[in-house]
mmCIF file of all heavy atoms in Angstrom:
data_model
loop_
_atom_site.group_PDB
_atom_site.id
_atom_site.type_symbol
_atom_site.label_atom_id
_atom_site.label_comp_id
_atom_site.label_asym_id
_atom_site.label_seq_id
_atom_site.Cartn_x
_atom_site.Cartn_y
_atom_site.Cartn_z
ATOM 1 N N MET A 1 -8.597 -2.396 22.422
ATOM 2 C CA MET A 1 -9.827 -2.865 23.066
ATOM 3 C C MET A 1 -10.993 -2.616 22.124
ATOM 4 O O MET A 1 -10.907 -1.809 21.190
ATOM 5 C CB MET A 1 -10.045 -2.130 24.382
ATOM 6 C CG MET A 1 -10.290 -0.633 24.233
ATOM 7 S SD MET A 1 -10.391 0.267 25.792
ATOM 8 C CE MET A 1 -8.652 0.358 26.222
ATOM 9 N N ASP A 2 -12.096 -3.337 22.382
ATOM 10 C CA ASP A 2 -13.290 -3.085 21.581
ATOM 11 C C ASP A 2 -14.094 -1.961 22.223
ATOM 12 O O ASP A 2 -13.671 -1.349 23.211
ATOM 13 C CB ASP A 2 -14.120 -4.359 21.408
ATOM 14 C CG ASP A 2 -14.650 -4.918 22.726
ATOM 15 O OD1 ASP A 2 -14.662 -4.177 23.727
ATOM 16 O OD2 ASP A 2 -15.049 -6.099 22.748
ATOM 17 N N SER A 3 -15.275 -1.689 21.662
ATOM 18 C CA SER A 3 -16.072 -0.563 22.137
ATOM 19 C C SER A 3 -16.581 -0.748 23.557
ATOM 20 O O SER A 3 -16.971 0.211 24.225
ATOM 21 C CB SER A 3 -17.272 -0.340 21.197
ATOM 22 O OG SER A 3 -18.072 -1.510 21.140
ATOM 23 N N ARG A 4 -16.563 -1.997 24.050
ATOM 24 C CA ARG A 4 -16.997 -2.275 25.418
ATOM 25 C C ARG A 4 -15.838 -2.299 26.404
ATOM 26 O O ARG A 4 -16.024 -2.570 27.582
ATOM 27 C CB ARG A 4 -17.737 -3.612 25.468
ATOM 28 C CG ARG A 4 -19.024 -3.656 24.639
ATOM 29 C CD ARG A 4 -19.540 -5.065 24.486
ATOM 30 N NE ARG A 4 -18.570 -5.890 23.744
ATOM 31 C CZ ARG A 4 -18.743 -7.177 23.492
ATOM 32 N NH1 ARG A 4 -19.836 -7.804 23.917
ATOM 33 N NH2 ARG A 4 -17.840 -7.858 22.808
ATOM 34 N N GLY A 5 -14.635 -2.043 25.899
ATOM 35 C CA GLY A 5 -13.477 -2.020 26.773
ATOM 36 C C GLY A 5 -12.788 -3.355 26.925
ATOM 37 O O GLY A 5 -11.847 -3.478 27.724
ATOM 38 N N LYS A 6 -13.205 -4.366 26.182
ATOM 39 C CA LYS A 6 -12.577 -5.682 26.270
ATOM 40 C C LYS A 6 -11.234 -5.666 25.538
ATOM 41 O O LYS A 6 -11.139 -5.261 24.381
ATOM 42 C CB LYS A 6 -13.487 -6.739 25.645
ATOM 43 C CG LYS A 6 -12.928 -8.158 25.720
ATOM 44 C CD LYS A 6 -13.875 -9.154 25.068
ATOM 45 C CE LYS A 6 -13.302 -10.555 25.107
ATOM 46 N NZ LYS A 6 -14.206 -11.535 24.445
ATOM 47 N N ARG A 7 -10.196 -6.110 26.227
ATOM 48 C CA ARG A 7 -8.861 -6.099 25.630
ATOM 49 C C ARG A 7 -8.752 -7.115 24.505
ATOM 50 O O ARG A 7 -9.334 -8.209 24.572
ATOM 51 C CB ARG A 7 -7.794 -6.428 26.685
ATOM 52 C CG ARG A 7 -7.765 -5.515 27.884
ATOM 53 C CD ARG A 7 -7.520 -4.069 27.551
ATOM 54 N NE ARG A 7 -6.333 -3.849 26.738
ATOM 55 C CZ ARG A 7 -5.895 -2.656 26.371
ATOM 56 N NH1 ARG A 7 -6.572 -1.560 26.737
ATOM 57 N NH2 ARG A 7 -4.802 -2.523 25.650
ATOM 58 N N MET A 8 -7.982 -6.740 23.462
ATOM 59 C CA MET A 8 -7.754 -7.652 22.341
ATOM 60 C C MET A 8 -6.556 -7.157 21.549
ATOM 61 O O MET A 8 -6.102 -6.018 21.712
ATOM 62 C CB MET A 8 -8.991 -7.735 21.449
ATOM 63 C CG MET A 8 -9.422 -6.413 20.840
ATOM 64 S SD MET A 8 -10.921 -6.604 19.857
ATOM 65 C CE MET A 8 -11.118 -4.967 19.195
ATOM 66 N N SER A 9 -6.024 -8.003 20.704
ATOM 67 C CA SER A 9 -4.922 -7.611 19.811
ATOM 68 C C SER A 9 -5.428 -7.651 18.376
ATOM 69 O O SER A 9 -6.201 -8.540 18.002
ATOM 70 C CB SER A 9 -3.722 -8.549 19.986
ATOM 71 O OG SER A 9 -4.073 -9.880 19.646
ATOM 72 N N ARG A 10 -4.968 -6.676 17.571
ATOM 73 C CA ARG A 10 -5.445 -6.562 16.191
ATOM 74 C C ARG A 10 -4.284 -6.244 15.264
ATOM 75 O O ARG A 10 -3.279 -5.620 15.652
ATOM 76 C CB ARG A 10 -6.497 -5.449 16.062
ATOM 77 C CG ARG A 10 -7.666 -5.558 16.998
ATOM 78 C CD ARG A 10 -8.501 -6.796 16.787
ATOM 79 N NE ARG A 10 -9.386 -6.694 15.629
ATOM 80 C CZ ARG A 10 -10.225 -7.669 15.263
ATOM 81 N NH1 ARG A 10 -10.262 -8.813 15.937
ATOM 82 N NH2 ARG A 10 -10.995 -7.508 14.214
ATOM 83 N N ARG A 11 -4.454 -6.680 14.008
ATOM 84 C CA ARG A 11 -3.585 -6.267 12.907
ATOM 85 C C ARG A 11 -4.452 -5.545 11.887
ATOM 86 O O ARG A 11 -5.650 -5.804 11.776
ATOM 87 C CB ARG A 11 -2.950 -7.482 12.232
ATOM 88 C CG ARG A 11 -1.842 -8.172 13.014
ATOM 89 C CD ARG A 11 -1.279 -9.295 12.170
ATOM 90 N NE ARG A 11 -0.275 -10.080 12.867
ATOM 91 C CZ ARG A 11 0.308 -11.161 12.358
ATOM 92 N NH1 ARG A 11 -0.033 -11.589 11.147
ATOM 93 N NH2 ARG A 11 1.212 -11.812 13.054
ATOM 94 N N TYR A 12 -3.812 -4.682 11.114
ATOM 95 C CA TYR A 12 -4.570 -3.871 10.160
ATOM 96 C C TYR A 12 -4.054 -4.105 8.744
ATOM 97 O O TYR A 12 -2.842 -4.229 8.511
ATOM 98 C CB TYR A 12 -4.499 -2.397 10.568
ATOM 99 C CG TYR A 12 -5.106 -2.186 11.939
ATOM 100 C CD1 TYR A 12 -4.320 -2.285 13.090
ATOM 101 C CD2 TYR A 12 -6.475 -1.969 12.090
ATOM 102 C CE1 TYR A 12 -4.876 -2.141 14.347
ATOM 103 C CE2 TYR A 12 -7.038 -1.829 13.344
ATOM 104 C CZ TYR A 12 -6.239 -1.920 14.468
ATOM 105 O OH TYR A 12 -6.806 -1.796 15.714
ATOM 106 N N TYR A 13 -5.016 -4.152 7.826
ATOM 107 C CA TYR A 13 -4.723 -4.487 6.433
ATOM 108 C C TYR A 13 -5.434 -3.526 5.492
ATOM 109 O O TYR A 13 -6.426 -2.889 5.853
ATOM 110 C CB TYR A 13 -5.169 -5.919 6.124
ATOM 111 C CG TYR A 13 -4.309 -6.972 6.792
ATOM 112 C CD1 TYR A 13 -4.601 -7.419 8.082
ATOM 113 C CD2 TYR A 13 -3.214 -7.518 6.129
ATOM 114 C CE1 TYR A 13 -3.810 -8.377 8.701
ATOM 115 C CE2 TYR A 13 -2.419 -8.483 6.743
ATOM 116 C CZ TYR A 13 -2.723 -8.900 8.022
ATOM 117 O OH TYR A 13 -1.925 -9.847 8.625
ATOM 118 N N VAL A 14 -4.917 -3.474 4.243
ATOM 119 C CA VAL A 14 -5.561 -2.713 3.182
ATOM 120 C C VAL A 14 -5.976 -3.696 2.094
ATOM 121 O O VAL A 14 -5.141 -4.473 1.587
ATOM 122 C CB VAL A 14 -4.610 -1.669 2.564
ATOM 123 C CG1 VAL A 14 -5.369 -0.809 1.551
ATOM 124 C CG2 VAL A 14 -3.974 -0.811 3.631
ATOM 125 N N ASP A 15 -7.244 -3.675 1.748
ATOM 126 C CA ASP A 15 -7.723 -4.466 0.615
ATOM 127 C C ASP A 15 -7.226 -3.770 -0.656
ATOM 128 O O ASP A 15 -7.639 -2.652 -0.974
ATOM 129 C CB ASP A 15 -9.248 -4.533 0.644
ATOM 130 C CG ASP A 15 -9.813 -5.436 -0.441
ATOM 131 O OD1 ASP A 15 -9.488 -5.221 -1.622
ATOM 132 O OD2 ASP A 15 -10.585 -6.353 -0.105
ATOM 133 N N ILE A 16 -6.321 -4.418 -1.353
ATOM 134 C CA ILE A 16 -5.639 -3.791 -2.490
ATOM 135 C C ILE A 16 -6.630 -3.360 -3.563
ATOM 136 O O ILE A 16 -6.573 -2.226 -4.080
ATOM 137 C CB ILE A 16 -4.578 -4.741 -3.067
ATOM 138 C CG1 ILE A 16 -3.482 -4.973 -2.016
ATOM 139 C CG2 ILE A 16 -3.980 -4.187 -4.357
ATOM 140 C CD1 ILE A 16 -2.455 -6.022 -2.404
ATOM 141 N N ASP A 17 -7.553 -4.224 -3.919
ATOM 142 C CA ASP A 17 -8.509 -3.911 -4.984
ATOM 143 C C ASP A 17 -9.363 -2.698 -4.617
ATOM 144 O O ASP A 17 -9.573 -1.793 -5.429
ATOM 145 C CB ASP A 17 -9.403 -5.119 -5.263
ATOM 146 C CG ASP A 17 -8.649 -6.248 -5.946
ATOM 147 O OD1 ASP A 17 -7.599 -5.969 -6.574
ATOM 148 O OD2 ASP A 17 -9.074 -7.414 -5.827
ATOM 149 N N LEU A 18 -9.892 -2.684 -3.401
ATOM 150 C CA LEU A 18 -10.741 -1.566 -2.983
ATOM 151 C C LEU A 18 -9.950 -0.265 -2.911
ATOM 152 O O LEU A 18 -10.448 0.801 -3.302
ATOM 153 C CB LEU A 18 -11.377 -1.865 -1.627
ATOM 154 C CG LEU A 18 -12.506 -2.901 -1.599
ATOM 155 C CD1 LEU A 18 -12.957 -3.173 -0.170
ATOM 156 C CD2 LEU A 18 -13.690 -2.425 -2.446
ATOM 157 N N ALA A 19 -8.734 -0.333 -2.400
ATOM 158 C CA ALA A 19 -7.919 0.870 -2.277
ATOM 159 C C ALA A 19 -7.641 1.501 -3.626
ATOM 160 O O ALA A 19 -7.591 2.732 -3.752
ATOM 161 C CB ALA A 19 -6.601 0.546 -1.564
ATOM 162 N N LEU A 20 -7.467 0.679 -4.661
ATOM 163 C CA LEU A 20 -7.175 1.199 -5.994
ATOM 164 C C LEU A 20 -8.393 1.824 -6.662
ATOM 165 O O LEU A 20 -8.263 2.492 -7.687
ATOM 166 C CB LEU A 20 -6.604 0.087 -6.874
ATOM 167 C CG LEU A 20 -5.179 -0.364 -6.490
ATOM 168 C CD1 LEU A 20 -4.754 -1.553 -7.347
ATOM 169 C CD2 LEU A 20 -4.189 0.789 -6.632
ATOM 170 N N GLU A 21 -9.576 1.632 -6.075
ATOM 171 C CA GLU A 21 -10.786 2.250 -6.627
ATOM 172 C C GLU A 21 -10.903 3.723 -6.231
ATOM 173 O O GLU A 21 -11.788 4.419 -6.705
ATOM 174 C CB GLU A 21 -12.028 1.481 -6.176
ATOM 175 C CG GLU A 21 -12.122 0.096 -6.795
ATOM 176 C CD GLU A 21 -13.415 -0.607 -6.420
ATOM 177 O OE1 GLU A 21 -14.404 0.108 -6.101
ATOM 178 O OE2 GLU A 21 -13.446 -1.844 -6.434
ATOM 179 N N GLY A 22 -10.025 4.172 -5.339
ATOM 180 C CA GLY A 22 -10.007 5.596 -5.019
ATOM 181 C C GLY A 22 -10.316 5.891 -3.567
ATOM 182 O O GLY A 22 -10.656 5.006 -2.764
ATOM 183 N N GLU A 23 -10.194 7.166 -3.235
ATOM 184 C CA GLU A 23 -10.342 7.623 -1.846
ATOM 185 C C GLU A 23 -11.697 7.272 -1.266
ATOM 186 O O GLU A 23 -11.819 6.974 -0.073
ATOM 187 C CB GLU A 23 -10.111 9.135 -1.786
ATOM 188 C CG GLU A 23 -10.218 9.734 -0.394
ATOM 189 C CD GLU A 23 -10.047 11.242 -0.402
ATOM 190 O OE1 GLU A 23 -9.232 11.751 -1.184
ATOM 191 O OE2 GLU A 23 -10.762 11.909 0.384
ATOM 192 N N ASP A 24 -12.757 7.306 -2.088
ATOM 193 C CA ASP A 24 -14.101 7.051 -1.578
ATOM 194 C C ASP A 24 -14.265 5.639 -1.026
ATOM 195 O O ASP A 24 -15.141 5.396 -0.198
ATOM 196 C CB ASP A 24 -15.141 7.288 -2.676
ATOM 197 C CG ASP A 24 -15.247 8.754 -3.053
ATOM 198 O OD1 ASP A 24 -14.772 9.591 -2.258
ATOM 199 O OD2 ASP A 24 -15.793 9.054 -4.128
ATOM 200 N N ARG A 25 -13.423 4.711 -1.485
ATOM 201 C CA ARG A 25 -13.535 3.323 -1.018
ATOM 202 C C ARG A 25 -12.516 2.986 0.070
ATOM 203 O O ARG A 25 -12.451 1.848 0.531
ATOM 204 C CB ARG A 25 -13.329 2.345 -2.196
ATOM 205 C CG ARG A 25 -14.268 2.532 -3.383
ATOM 206 C CD ARG A 25 -15.727 2.311 -2.983
ATOM 207 N NE ARG A 25 -15.982 0.993 -2.447
ATOM 208 C CZ ARG A 25 -16.240 -0.098 -3.191
ATOM 209 N NH1 ARG A 25 -16.238 0.005 -4.517
ATOM 210 N NH2 ARG A 25 -16.495 -1.260 -2.630
ATOM 211 N N MET A 26 -11.742 4.000 0.503
ATOM 212 C CA MET A 26 -10.647 3.706 1.425
ATOM 213 C C MET A 26 -11.144 3.245 2.790
ATOM 214 O O MET A 26 -10.520 2.402 3.432
ATOM 215 C CB MET A 26 -9.752 4.943 1.573
ATOM 216 C CG MET A 26 -8.359 4.626 2.096
ATOM 217 S SD MET A 26 -7.446 3.498 1.002
ATOM 218 C CE MET A 26 -6.992 4.636 -0.328
ATOM 219 N N ASP A 27 -12.272 3.788 3.237
ATOM 220 C CA ASP A 27 -12.804 3.361 4.528
ATOM 221 C C ASP A 27 -13.135 1.872 4.503
ATOM 222 O O ASP A 27 -12.853 1.142 5.471
ATOM 223 C CB ASP A 27 -14.054 4.176 4.871
ATOM 224 C CG ASP A 27 -14.471 4.026 6.322
ATOM 225 O OD1 ASP A 27 -13.779 3.314 7.067
ATOM 226 O OD2 ASP A 27 -15.485 4.619 6.733
ATOM 227 N N GLU A 28 -13.707 1.405 3.390
ATOM 228 C CA GLU A 28 -14.007 -0.022 3.260
ATOM 229 C C GLU A 28 -12.737 -0.850 3.106
ATOM 230 O O GLU A 28 -12.683 -2.013 3.519
ATOM 231 C CB GLU A 28 -14.886 -0.267 2.025
ATOM 232 C CG GLU A 28 -16.242 0.414 2.061
ATOM 233 C CD GLU A 28 -16.956 0.242 0.724
ATOM 234 O OE1 GLU A 28 -17.259 -0.921 0.371
ATOM 235 O OE2 GLU A 28 -17.168 1.258 0.028
ATOM 236 N N ALA A 29 -11.714 -0.231 2.542
ATOM 237 C CA ALA A 29 -10.498 -0.976 2.226
ATOM 238 C C ALA A 29 -9.660 -1.304 3.464
ATOM 239 O O ALA A 29 -8.937 -2.299 3.477
ATOM 240 C CB ALA A 29 -9.642 -0.184 1.230
ATOM 241 N N VAL A 30 -9.743 -0.466 4.483
ATOM 242 C CA VAL A 30 -8.921 -0.686 5.681
ATOM 243 C C VAL A 30 -9.646 -1.642 6.620
ATOM 244 O O VAL A 30 -10.764 -1.374 7.055
ATOM 245 C CB VAL A 30 -8.621 0.649 6.388
ATOM 246 C CG1 VAL A 30 -7.851 0.402 7.683
ATOM 247 C CG2 VAL A 30 -7.826 1.566 5.461
ATOM 248 N N LEU A 31 -8.998 -2.759 6.924
ATOM 249 C CA LEU A 31 -9.603 -3.829 7.715
ATOM 250 C C LEU A 31 -8.844 -4.049 9.017
ATOM 251 O O LEU A 31 -7.619 -3.943 9.072
ATOM 252 C CB LEU A 31 -9.615 -5.136 6.929
ATOM 253 C CG LEU A 31 -10.290 -5.120 5.550
ATOM 254 C CD1 LEU A 31 -10.132 -6.479 4.884
ATOM 255 C CD2 LEU A 31 -11.762 -4.757 5.670
ATOM 256 N N SER A 32 -9.603 -4.386 10.050
ATOM 257 C CA SER A 32 -9.032 -4.784 11.335
ATOM 258 C C SER A 32 -9.272 -6.274 11.504
ATOM 259 O O SER A 32 -10.415 -6.742 11.448
ATOM 260 C CB SER A 32 -9.693 -4.017 12.480
ATOM 261 O OG SER A 32 -9.347 -4.581 13.724
ATOM 262 N N LEU A 33 -8.192 -7.030 11.712
ATOM 263 C CA LEU A 33 -8.290 -8.485 11.863
ATOM 264 C C LEU A 33 -7.606 -8.919 13.159
ATOM 265 O O LEU A 33 -6.802 -8.167 13.729
ATOM 266 C CB LEU A 33 -7.638 -9.184 10.671
ATOM 267 C CG LEU A 33 -8.286 -8.922 9.299
ATOM 268 C CD1 LEU A 33 -7.512 -9.635 8.209
ATOM 269 C CD2 LEU A 33 -9.744 -9.375 9.295
ATOM 270 N N PRO A 34 -7.913 -10.105 13.656
ATOM 271 C CA PRO A 34 -7.281 -10.576 14.892
ATOM 272 C C PRO A 34 -5.758 -10.554 14.813
ATOM 273 O O PRO A 34 -5.160 -10.672 13.732
ATOM 274 C CB PRO A 34 -7.819 -11.999 15.039
ATOM 275 C CG PRO A 34 -9.131 -11.975 14.321
ATOM 276 C CD PRO A 34 -8.924 -11.059 13.153
ATOM 277 N N GLY A 35 -5.124 -10.417 15.953
ATOM 278 C CA GLY A 35 -3.678 -10.293 16.009
ATOM 279 C C GLY A 35 -2.924 -11.481 15.444
ATOM 280 O O GLY A 35 -1.795 -11.330 14.960
ATOM 281 N N ASP A 36 -3.538 -12.666 15.511
ATOM 282 C CA ASP A 36 -2.864 -13.845 14.942
ATOM 283 C C ASP A 36 -3.149 -14.016 13.463
ATOM 284 O O ASP A 36 -2.672 -14.972 12.829
ATOM 285 C CB ASP A 36 -3.239 -15.112 15.710
ATOM 286 C CG ASP A 36 -4.732 -15.452 15.618
ATOM 287 O OD1 ASP A 36 -5.495 -14.701 14.951
ATOM 288 O OD2 ASP A 36 -5.147 -16.463 16.213
#
């Protein structure tokens, strides 16, 4: 669900380029995208 409690489905991804820049960029690297 989102912050308002609305139900939804999500998939999670890692931006490869950002992740390879190190731990400091990991928060930016992890993405939440729609379930489809």
